[in-house]
Amino acid sequence: MVVSSGITEAVGGAKAQDRTVDLFQGALVGHSTDTAIGRGLTELAAAAPLEGRRAFFLLPLLSNLAASTAIAMSDTNQSPLQLQPLLQRAAWLRKLYFTRAAFSFVWVALAFTVAKGSPVVASALLVVYPAWDALANLWDARMTGGAKANPTQVLNAWISALVTVAVAVSLGLKLQLILAIFGAWAIVAGLLQLATAIRRRKSDKGQWVMMLSGAQSALAGGFFVAQQGSAAPVVQTFAGYAAVGAVYFLISGLVILFRKAKGEAGDFVSEQG
């Protein structure tokens, strides 16, 4: 009888230890739940009166240790993954803003120099500007989530493409409607830019500058419409608008650049919460 009882206790203890290991492994991979652990504890208490009960008291400590380790490992692995796309997006927007600023500055320089003595260059500049804006908006939408995530940029691109065609037709037919066309375009494009900046303000730096730029564009559009029919030179009148827009893009790019230089990359993650 003594031998039989010893064998029974030994078998029970072995089963309890095996069960403890199983539950501990389950906790590490995230499969154990409160219900499962409670059921396992009950089985241990019933199956192993001696060794099983000893393991019974150790199981909560092992489970807590496993959960803490899993959480710590998860946090360590996820932080870089969360940070990297945000930093890439910031770098992309900085590149976009600097590129658009550079293009506009070059366009303005040509408008006030070469275009003054060349009607062909002046006409070409008037067609190129909205065409470039359409391309830039499509580029922006593609690199920041696609068309579904950026409806305002896609709509802005289509409108800029239509304006390009309208300007080319007006120049070809000598309709003298350029300022009116550019004015209407500046109003709509400014409002769309404002909407884009408002949508991005919580996730991207420098958007307060883009809000100002969009509002200013809408106001300038009204001025262009009012100037239609006057003797004001079309290219030089619009060049002032383009120059202000270039400054806005430059400031936005610098805001993102200075944030990076100060090592504030952590803000990109904290502001997502």
Side-chain angles (χ1 to χ4, degrees):
M1 294 297 290
V2 174
V3 174
S4 177
S5 177
I7 294 174
T8 302
E9 291 180 2
V11 172
K15 290 182 178 180
Q17 291 175 356
D18 292 341
R19 181 58 177 160
T20 301
V21 172
D22 292 341
L23 288 175
F24 180 61
Q25 291 176 342
L28 283 175
V29 299
H31 293 300
S32 62
T33 63
D34 292 340
T35 302
I37 292 175
R39 185 171 58 252
L41 296 177
T42 302
E43 292 175 3
L44 288 174
L50 294 177
E51 298 298 331
R53 288 179 182 177
R54 294 172 185 172
F56 174 87
F57 291 110
L58 291 176
L59 185 57
L61 296 176
L62 296 175
S63 298
N64 291 335
L65 177 61
S68 300
T69 303
I71 292 173
M73 294 176 62
S74 176
D75 291 342
T76 302
N77 293 332
Q78 288 179 1
S79 294
L81 296 177
Q82 292 174 350
L83 182 60
Q84 185 176 7
L86 295 171
L87 293 178
Q88 290 177 345
R89 180 183 175 95
W92 150 247
L93 287 175
R94 183 179 70 249
K95 179 180 179 181
L96 173 67
Y97 293 153
F98 283 154
T99 301
R100 297 201 65 169
F103 175 89
S104 295
F105 281 131
V106 172
W107 192 95
V108 171
L110 292 174
F112 283 112
T113 55
V114 181
K116 282 187 174 181
S118 175
V120 174
V121 174
S123 298
L125 288 176
L126 292 174
V127 174
V128 166
Y129 195 90
W132 159 249
D133 189 81
L135 179 62
N137 276 289
L138 284 178
W139 190 23
D140 186 358
R142 179 181 179 183
M143 298 299 292
T144 55
K148 290 184 179 181
N150 300 280
T152 51
Q153 287 100 309
V154 174
L155 180 58
N156 210 342
W158 278 106
I159 292 175
S160 296
L162 292 175
V163 169
T164 303
V165 175
V167 170
V169 171
S170 180
L171 290 171
L173 299 178
K174 301 183 183 301
L175 298 178
Q176 303 298 323
L177 295 175
I178 302 299
L179 276 179
I181 294 173
F182 271 108
W185 174 49
I187 293 173
V188 177
L191 294 176
L192 289 174
Q193 185 179 29
L194 177 61
T196 299
I198 291 174
R199 175 168 52 82
R200 286 176 167 177
R201 71 187 186 281
K202 292 184 178 180
S203 59
D204 300 308
K205 302 296 181 182
Q207 294 308 302
W208 62 270
V209 185
M210 290 292 96
M211 293 182 196
L212 293 177
S213 177
Q216 183 269 337
S217 177
L219 292 175
F223 172 76
F224 292 149
V225 173
Q227 289 289 103
Q228 177 61 47
S230 67
V234 175
V235 176
Q236 285 72 38
T237 300
F238 188 74
Y241 164 85
V244 175
V247 172
Y248 280 129
F249 280 122
L250 179 60
I251 294 175
S252 293
L254 289 175
V255 168
I256 299 175
L257 180 63
F258 290 155
R259 291 284 186 175
K260 178 182 178 182
K262 291 179 180 180
E264 296 183 1
D267 291 347
F268 291 102
V269 173
S270 63
E271 291 181 7
Q272 304 302 309

